[in-house]
Amino acid sequence: MIKNILQFAFKNILKNNLELKNAHKGGECYIIGNGDSLKYFDMRKFKDKVSFGCSLMRAHKDFDKMNIKYYITTHPLIHSPLWRGIETGLYLEKNPFYKFWHTINNTGYIQFIHPLDYFFIKDKSNYRFLHNLKRLPLSLKYCDPTKSFSFGGGSIEIMLGLAIYMGFKKAYLVGCDYFFKPYISGHFWSRFEQIIGNDNFFYSELMDVIDNAIDLTVITRVGITSHLKNVQYSDLFGVSENFKKA
């Protein structure tokens, strides 16, 4: 009942997403995650294509040197002073990210957020909204952000779904270290060393769903491959890796 009411209430604010359909038809883009591998890349190299960013990428010291046009922060109430974190139900706690999101400046990118954050944003001109309140199964049939958007299982999934909706024909995955083989845990902001995992691939279902919808290439580090088509950063740009702390 509550979900039906919310879907009806949010119907109109999703209409603006229609302007993005095939807005980049035939183009190429970067899908930038928050992985540890970003510490080894000169992010200025990725300015030649439209890019998607997510999570805490806004805190990267070289953010303004990239070409981020679309930004994903769709966790419900992430812009509210109170949120439920990883908990479920009616549990609420102080939002540790509230100050961060309300003190940074939007440099012209479109930021996708959950409709529950609508009332916590003063200037909504650079914001768009996404939800999957219907709990639709992951499918290209429901890859439509003007309605309940089934690509909502995480930032990478959302960015790929939006890239497909916008008509991109090819995407390079940067800092998406769970696509590495073996996968690597860690983030660009972490002071701890990366953790090398096993050969598990967490995105098999997603790859099956979007098969042939978009051409993907994973940008890896020296000596690392991927479950998908891949190219090492040094080979792609003809420069060596250069470790830098975030």
Side-chain angles (χ1 to χ4, degrees):
M1 180 66 175
I2 294 178
K3 289 183 179 180
N4 290 336
I5 294 174
L6 290 175
Q7 288 178 57
F8 180 79
F10 297 154
K11 184 177 180 180
N12 286 333
I13 65 174
L14 298 182
K15 290 182 178 179
N16 287 341
N17 291 332
L18 184 60
E19 68 186 16
L20 298 173
K21 186 169 180 62
N22 290 324
H24 297 277
K25 189 172 183 178
E28 298 184 357
C29 66
Y30 293 118
I31 303 289
I32 305 180
N34 285 209
D36 181 88
S37 61
L38 296 188
K39 295 177 182 177
Y40 299 83
F41 301 161
D42 180 351
M43 300 309 294
R44 293 173 296 181
K45 295 294 184 182
F46 302 105
K47 199 170 184 177
D48 63 317
K49 304 183 194 304
V50 169
S51 298
F52 290 78
C54 65
S55 187
L56 292 179
M57 177 55 62
R58 190 64 182 82
H60 197 291
K61 63 182 180 181
D62 291 331
F63 182 87
D64 293 334
K65 299 176 182 179
M66 297 179 244
N67 189 16
I68 303 290
K69 296 299 183 185
Y70 304 105
Y71 200 102
I72 315 300
T73 54
T74 57
H75 191 292
L77 300 179
I78 198 168
H79 294 269
S80 164
L82 296 175
W83 74 339
R84 62 185 186 183
I86 62 173
E87 301 292 336
T88 58
L90 297 177
Y91 171 84
L92 291 174
E93 64 182 12
K94 186 176 180 180
N95 180 1
F97 301 105
Y98 177 76
K99 184 177 180 180
F100 175 78
W101 290 117
H102 287 271
T103 54
I104 62 173
N105 295 318
N106 185 305
T107 55
Y109 50 86
I110 292 178
Q111 188 164 348
F112 290 89
I113 62 177
H114 195 280
L116 287 175
D117 285 294
Y118 181 87
F119 297 104
F120 303 103
I121 302 297
K122 293 181 179 179
D123 182 0
K124 301 176 178 60
S125 56
N126 288 328
Y127 288 89
R128 298 294 185 272
F129 301 89
L130 290 175
H131 72 71
N132 185 20
L133 288 171
K134 285 188 176 181
R135 304 294 184 189
L136 295 172
L138 184 63
S139 170
L140 290 175
K141 179 181 178 181
Y142 305 120
C143 187
D144 183 355
T146 67
K147 302 175 182 178
S148 199
F149 187 61
S150 73
F151 285 71
S155 295
I156 298 298
E157 189 174 292
I158 294 170
M159 290 189 288
L160 284 172
L162 287 172
I164 292 170
Y165 182 78
M166 294 178 190
F168 285 102
K169 69 175 182 180
K170 183 176 181 62
Y172 292 88
L173 305 184
V174 186
C176 300
D177 299 359
Y178 278 108
F179 282 82
F180 290 1
K181 185 179 181 180
Y183 74 83
I184 294 178
S185 295
H187 300 93
F188 72 84
W189 65 80
S190 176
R191 296 180 180 180
F192 300 101
E193 293 186 3
Q194 64 186 11
I195 299 176
I196 299 176
N198 52 39
D199 288 349
N200 286 349
F201 186 40
F202 303 100
Y203 295 99
S204 296
E205 179 187 1
L206 175 60
M207 294 302 102
D208 289 341
V209 168
I210 68 174
D211 185 38
N212 297 321
I214 188 169
D215 182 20
L216 300 179
T217 296
V218 179
I219 298 181
T220 64
R221 291 190 52 226
V222 171
I224 298 176
T225 61
S226 171
H227 295 270
L228 307 182
K229 181 170 57 177
N230 58 92
V231 59
Q232 293 180 9
Y233 165 85
S234 55
D235 291 336
L236 180 63
F237 293 111
V239 296
S240 299
E241 296 176 1
N242 184 19
F243 177 82
K244 290 183 179 179
K245 293 183 178 179

